[in-house]
Short mmCIF file of all heavy atoms in Angstrom, two decimals:
data_model
loop_
_atom_site.label_atom_id
_atom_site.label_comp_id
_atom_site.label_asym_id
_atom_site.label_seq_id
_atom_site.Cartn_x
_atom_site.Cartn_y
_atom_site.Cartn_z
N LYS A 303 -115.67 269.04 -98.65
CA LYS A 303 -114.29 268.99 -98.14
C LYS A 303 -114.10 267.75 -97.27
O LYS A 303 -113.09 267.05 -97.39
CB LYS A 303 -113.99 270.26 -97.34
CG LYS A 303 -112.58 270.32 -96.78
CD LYS A 303 -112.36 271.60 -95.99
CE LYS A 303 -113.10 271.55 -94.67
NZ LYS A 303 -112.81 272.77 -93.85
N TRP A 304 -115.06 267.46 -96.43
CA TRP A 304 -114.98 266.27 -95.58
C TRP A 304 -115.18 265.00 -96.40
O TRP A 304 -114.43 264.02 -96.23
CB TRP A 304 -116.05 266.35 -94.48
CG TRP A 304 -115.72 267.25 -93.35
CD1 TRP A 304 -115.77 268.62 -93.36
CD2 TRP A 304 -115.30 266.88 -92.04
NE1 TRP A 304 -115.41 269.13 -92.13
CE2 TRP A 304 -115.13 268.07 -91.30
CE3 TRP A 304 -115.08 265.67 -91.40
CZ2 TRP A 304 -114.72 268.08 -89.96
CZ3 TRP A 304 -114.68 265.65 -90.07
CH2 TRP A 304 -114.50 266.85 -89.37
N ALA A 305 -116.17 265.00 -97.27
CA ALA A 305 -116.53 263.78 -98.00
C ALA A 305 -115.40 263.27 -98.89
O ALA A 305 -115.19 262.06 -99.02
CB ALA A 305 -117.78 264.02 -98.83
N LEU A 306 -114.65 264.17 -99.52
CA LEU A 306 -113.62 263.78 -100.47
C LEU A 306 -112.23 263.68 -99.84
O LEU A 306 -111.25 263.47 -100.56
CB LEU A 306 -113.58 264.78 -101.64
CG LEU A 306 -114.84 264.80 -102.52
CD1 LEU A 306 -114.71 265.85 -103.61
CD2 LEU A 306 -115.12 263.42 -103.12
N ARG A 307 -112.16 263.78 -98.54
CA ARG A 307 -110.87 263.70 -97.85
C ARG A 307 -110.23 262.32 -98.06
O ARG A 307 -110.79 261.28 -97.72
CB ARG A 307 -111.08 263.95 -96.35
CG ARG A 307 -109.82 264.00 -95.52
CD ARG A 307 -110.19 264.24 -94.06
NE ARG A 307 -111.08 263.18 -93.57
CZ ARG A 307 -111.75 263.24 -92.42
NH1 ARG A 307 -111.66 264.31 -91.66
NH2 ARG A 307 -112.50 262.23 -92.05
N GLY A 308 -109.06 262.30 -98.68
CA GLY A 308 -108.32 261.06 -98.90
C GLY A 308 -108.90 260.16 -99.99
O GLY A 308 -108.46 259.01 -100.12
N VAL A 309 -109.85 260.66 -100.78
CA VAL A 309 -110.49 259.85 -101.82
C VAL A 309 -109.71 259.99 -103.12
O VAL A 309 -109.40 261.11 -103.56
CB VAL A 309 -111.95 260.29 -102.04
CG1 VAL A 309 -112.58 259.53 -103.21
CG2 VAL A 309 -112.76 260.07 -100.76
N GLU A 310 -109.40 258.86 -103.77
CA GLU A 310 -108.71 258.86 -105.06
C GLU A 310 -109.68 258.34 -106.11
O GLU A 310 -109.90 257.13 -106.24
CB GLU A 310 -107.46 257.99 -105.00
CG GLU A 310 -106.41 258.50 -104.04
CD GLU A 310 -105.14 257.66 -104.04
OE1 GLU A 310 -105.04 256.75 -104.90
OE2 GLU A 310 -104.26 257.90 -103.19
N LEU A 311 -110.26 259.26 -106.86
CA LEU A 311 -111.29 258.91 -107.83
C LEU A 311 -110.67 258.40 -109.13
O LEU A 311 -109.50 258.69 -109.44
CB LEU A 311 -112.14 260.15 -108.14
CG LEU A 311 -112.98 260.69 -106.99
CD1 LEU A 311 -113.55 262.05 -107.35
CD2 LEU A 311 -114.09 259.72 -106.63
N PRO A 312 -111.44 257.61 -109.92
CA PRO A 312 -110.96 257.23 -111.25
C PRO A 312 -110.66 258.46 -112.09
O PRO A 312 -111.26 259.53 -111.88
CB PRO A 312 -112.14 256.43 -111.82
CG PRO A 312 -112.89 255.95 -110.62
CD PRO A 312 -112.73 257.02 -109.59
N PRO A 313 -109.76 258.35 -113.08
CA PRO A 313 -109.34 259.53 -113.85
C PRO A 313 -110.48 260.26 -114.53
O PRO A 313 -110.46 261.50 -114.63
CB PRO A 313 -108.37 258.93 -114.89
CG PRO A 313 -107.88 257.67 -114.27
CD PRO A 313 -109.01 257.14 -113.45
N PHE A 314 -111.50 259.54 -115.02
CA PHE A 314 -112.57 260.23 -115.76
C PHE A 314 -113.86 260.39 -114.93
O PHE A 314 -114.93 260.64 -115.47
CB PHE A 314 -112.88 259.54 -117.08
CG PHE A 314 -113.23 258.08 -116.98
CD1 PHE A 314 -114.52 257.69 -116.70
CD2 PHE A 314 -112.27 257.10 -117.20
CE1 PHE A 314 -114.86 256.35 -116.62
CE2 PHE A 314 -112.59 255.76 -117.12
CZ PHE A 314 -113.89 255.38 -116.83
N ALA A 315 -113.74 260.27 -113.60
CA ALA A 315 -114.90 260.54 -112.75
C ALA A 315 -115.33 262.00 -112.90
O ALA A 315 -114.49 262.89 -113.02
CB ALA A 315 -114.57 260.23 -111.30
N GLU A 316 -116.63 262.22 -112.90
CA GLU A 316 -117.18 263.56 -113.06
C GLU A 316 -117.84 264.00 -111.76
O GLU A 316 -118.78 263.36 -111.30
CB GLU A 316 -118.20 263.58 -114.21
CG GLU A 316 -117.62 263.18 -115.56
CD GLU A 316 -118.68 263.05 -116.63
OE1 GLU A 316 -119.79 263.60 -116.44
OE2 GLU A 316 -118.42 262.40 -117.66
N ILE A 317 -117.35 265.09 -111.18
CA ILE A 317 -117.86 265.59 -109.90
C ILE A 317 -118.71 266.84 -110.14
O ILE A 317 -118.29 267.74 -110.88
CB ILE A 317 -116.71 265.95 -108.95
CG1 ILE A 317 -115.76 264.77 -108.76
CG2 ILE A 317 -117.25 266.40 -107.60
CD1 ILE A 317 -114.54 265.11 -107.94
N ASN A 318 -119.88 266.89 -109.51
CA ASN A 318 -120.65 268.13 -109.51
C ASN A 318 -120.10 269.04 -108.42
O ASN A 318 -120.13 268.70 -107.23
CB ASN A 318 -122.13 267.83 -109.24
CG ASN A 318 -122.88 267.50 -110.50
OD1 ASN A 318 -122.36 267.64 -111.60
ND2 ASN A 318 -124.11 267.05 -110.36
N GLU A 319 -119.58 270.17 -108.83
CA GLU A 319 -118.91 271.06 -107.87
C GLU A 319 -119.89 271.68 -106.90
O GLU A 319 -119.57 271.93 -105.74
CB GLU A 319 -118.15 272.15 -108.63
CG GLU A 319 -117.02 271.62 -109.51
CD GLU A 319 -115.96 270.86 -108.71
OE1 GLU A 319 -115.75 271.20 -107.52
OE2 GLU A 319 -115.37 269.92 -109.26
N ASN A 320 -121.11 271.94 -107.35
CA ASN A 320 -122.14 272.50 -106.48
C ASN A 320 -123.43 271.73 -106.70
O ASN A 320 -123.75 271.34 -107.83
CB ASN A 320 -122.38 273.98 -106.78
CG ASN A 320 -121.20 274.85 -106.39
OD1 ASN A 320 -120.91 274.99 -105.21
ND2 ASN A 320 -120.52 275.41 -107.38
N ILE A 321 -124.15 271.50 -105.62
CA ILE A 321 -125.43 270.80 -105.71
C ILE A 321 -126.50 271.66 -105.04
O ILE A 321 -126.30 272.20 -103.95
CB ILE A 321 -125.38 269.43 -105.02
CG1 ILE A 321 -124.38 268.51 -105.73
CG2 ILE A 321 -126.76 268.78 -105.00
CD1 ILE A 321 -124.26 267.13 -105.10
N TYR A 322 -127.63 271.79 -105.73
CA TYR A 322 -128.76 272.52 -105.21
C TYR A 322 -129.97 271.59 -105.23
O TYR A 322 -130.32 271.04 -106.27
CB TYR A 322 -129.04 273.77 -106.04
CG TYR A 322 -127.87 274.71 -106.13
CD1 TYR A 322 -126.98 274.63 -107.22
CD2 TYR A 322 -127.60 275.64 -105.14
CE1 TYR A 322 -125.88 275.46 -107.31
CE2 TYR A 322 -126.51 276.48 -105.21
CZ TYR A 322 -125.65 276.40 -106.30
OH TYR A 322 -124.57 277.23 -106.38
N TRP A 323 -130.59 271.42 -104.07
CA TRP A 323 -131.71 270.49 -103.98
C TRP A 323 -133.04 271.23 -104.13
O TRP A 323 -133.25 272.30 -103.55
CB TRP A 323 -131.69 269.77 -102.62
CG TRP A 323 -130.64 268.73 -102.54
CD1 TRP A 323 -130.73 267.43 -102.91
CD2 TRP A 323 -129.29 268.89 -102.05
NE1 TRP A 323 -129.56 266.75 -102.68
CE2 TRP A 323 -128.65 267.63 -102.17
CE3 TRP A 323 -128.58 269.96 -101.54
CZ2 TRP A 323 -127.35 267.44 -101.77
CZ3 TRP A 323 -127.27 269.76 -101.15
CH2 TRP A 323 -126.66 268.52 -101.26
N ASN A 324 -133.91 270.64 -104.92
CA ASN A 324 -135.27 271.13 -105.03
C ASN A 324 -136.18 270.25 -104.19
O ASN A 324 -135.78 269.18 -103.73
CB ASN A 324 -135.72 271.12 -106.49
CG ASN A 324 -134.94 272.08 -107.35
OD1 ASN A 324 -134.75 273.23 -106.95
ND2 ASN A 324 -134.50 271.65 -108.51
#
Side-chain angles (χ1 to χ4, degrees):
K303 181 180 73 176
W304 282 76
L306 295 178
R307 185 181 58 192
V309 175
E310 296 183 7
L311 294 169
F314 56 84
E316 300 174 18
I317 306 175
N318 274 351
E319 297 300 329
N320 291 292
I321 296 180
Y322 303 94
W323 285 273
N324 294 314

